[in-house]
Amino acid sequence: MSPSLAGMVAGVLSAVALLTLLAAAGTTGVPQIERHRRLVAGLLSHRRTLAAVVVALVILVATRIVVLGVAAAAVLWLAPTMIATSRQRRREQAMLEAVHLWLLQLRTVLAAGSGLEQALAEVATLQPPHSPLASASHRMVARMERLGPIRALRGFANDVDNHVADAAVAVLVNALSRQNVGVATALDDLIAWGEQDVRQQRDIDARLQSVRTERWMVIAIFAALACYFTLANPELMAVYTTSLGQVVLAAILGVAALCLWSLDRMARPQRPSRFFIREEAG
């Protein structure tokens, strides 16, 4: 191992040791079991960083290419964020569909002759436990008993964090102040809008799925090529152990990173603007 590589490995190991010391900081004066628990909790809170460092070290020792180790660590660090973005998009789509169903249920209960406040309470009981709206609906009913229907509806809109729910709350608050005048027609329009928005978002997600697949294909192709050339043709990869070779490799990986960034931006459509500003829960 060259002196520069040995120094880099030592520096990375020192960073890991520093993270361990930081995780153990502030544990003086507490029992041994408690210190051990805090140390483990601190390490777990940095597990993604530690995993990226370990992967970078392994690749660095195996290939002696610093740029390749840094790139692999960066991919490992960013992969959970990309996965979380996809999951967040699915949660938003599920919430939009749940709000549309909630509007349909509310319109049906109102058509049966129930008052608006009673209908809101009845619809809350219709939400299955797995529905994204279940907890928000139950909290709204509890707030209605303590704070009144208008403040409860505003809290419901804040919990749901959805543009269609904001429009529904605006309509319902207006209906409460006008003795339910025109609420049926307004709900019919909201239901039609929600149905159209659900279809549009499904179509957008179907198109974005190909973009997400291309994003992972770029990562997989570059990783496969790196593994292949490292294992099957080490003489070719030896060129990239030099300073000039690492600069060239950094440029190649930079182009790949630009492609990934572009695909990631394309896979994150802008959310529709909300009517109400989201309030932080106290």
Side-chain angles (χ1 to χ4, degrees):
M1 183 181 293
S2 65
S4 60
L5 184 59
M8 182 167 296
V9 172
V12 174
L13 290 176
S14 299
V16 175
L18 180 60
L19 283 175
T20 305
L21 292 175
L22 289 175
T27 60
T28 57
V30 297
Q32 179 66 29
I33 296 178
E34 180 65 16
R35 287 201 300 269
H36 182 267
R37 186 188 66 80
R38 292 187 183 182
L39 176 60
V40 172
L43 291 175
L44 288 177
S45 65
H46 296 90
R47 59 184 178 274
R48 185 163 58 158
T49 301
L50 292 175
V53 169
V54 169
V55 169
L57 274 176
V58 171
I59 294 178
L60 192 60
V61 172
T63 65
R64 293 182 300 167
I65 302 176
V66 178
V67 175
L68 202 59
V70 172
V75 170
L76 184 62
W77 173 265
L78 294 175
T81 302
M82 292 188 290
I83 295 173
T85 301
S86 300
R87 290 176 178 173
Q88 177 64 24
R89 179 65 183 172
R90 288 195 294 269
R91 285 194 294 267
E92 291 174 358
Q93 179 65 21
M95 180 63 77
L96 179 61
E97 295 175 3
V99 170
H100 177 248
L101 178 60
W102 179 78
L103 288 170
L104 286 170
Q105 293 169 335
L106 182 61
R107 180 68 178 90
T108 302
V109 174
L110 285 173
S114 299
L116 183 52
E117 293 185 41
Q118 181 184 357
L120 289 171
E122 290 181 10
V123 171
T125 63
L126 297 176
Q127 305 305 313
H130 58 81
S131 171
L133 275 181
S135 58
S137 298
H138 295 320
R139 284 195 296 268
M140 179 183 64
V141 174
R143 291 191 186 111
M144 286 174 61
E145 298 175 355
R146 294 183 292 107
L147 305 174
I150 293 180
R151 294 183 62 182
L153 283 169
R154 290 296 299 268
F156 175 76
N158 188 61
D159 290 340
V160 174
D161 190 20
N162 178 277
H163 60 290
V164 177
D166 281 1
V169 166
V171 167
L172 296 175
V173 168
N174 183 63
L176 286 170
S177 62
R178 298 176 58 189
Q179 290 77 41
N180 299 356
V181 176
V183 65
T185 302
L187 282 177
D188 288 338
D189 293 338
L190 278 174
I191 289 170
W193 177 42
E195 182 179 1
Q196 180 183 8
D197 206 17
V198 167
R199 288 199 303 266
Q200 289 178 345
Q201 294 302 321
R202 286 175 178 171
D203 183 61
I204 291 173
D205 276 348
R207 296 173 184 271
L208 291 180
Q209 186 59 41
S210 62
V211 177
R212 299 187 188 104
T213 302
E214 291 169 1
R215 182 180 61 186
W216 289 111
M217 285 179 62
V218 170
I219 296 176
I221 289 172
F222 272 85
L225 288 175
C227 292
Y228 173 77
F229 286 121
T230 301
L231 298 176
N233 199 341
E235 293 81 8
L236 178 61
M237 294 300 294
V239 177
Y240 295 105
T241 59
T242 64
S243 299
L244 178 60
Q246 295 202 45
V247 171
V248 173
L249 183 59
I252 296 173
L253 293 176
V255 173
L258 181 61
C259 294
L260 286 175
W261 178 81
S262 301
L263 291 172
D264 188 64
R265 290 294 300 270
M266 292 170 62
R268 296 186 185 187
Q270 185 177 4
R271 290 187 62 191
S273 301
R274 289 191 55 199
F275 296 160
F276 299 135
I277 297 176
R278 182 171 177 80
E279 303 172 359
E280 296 296 332

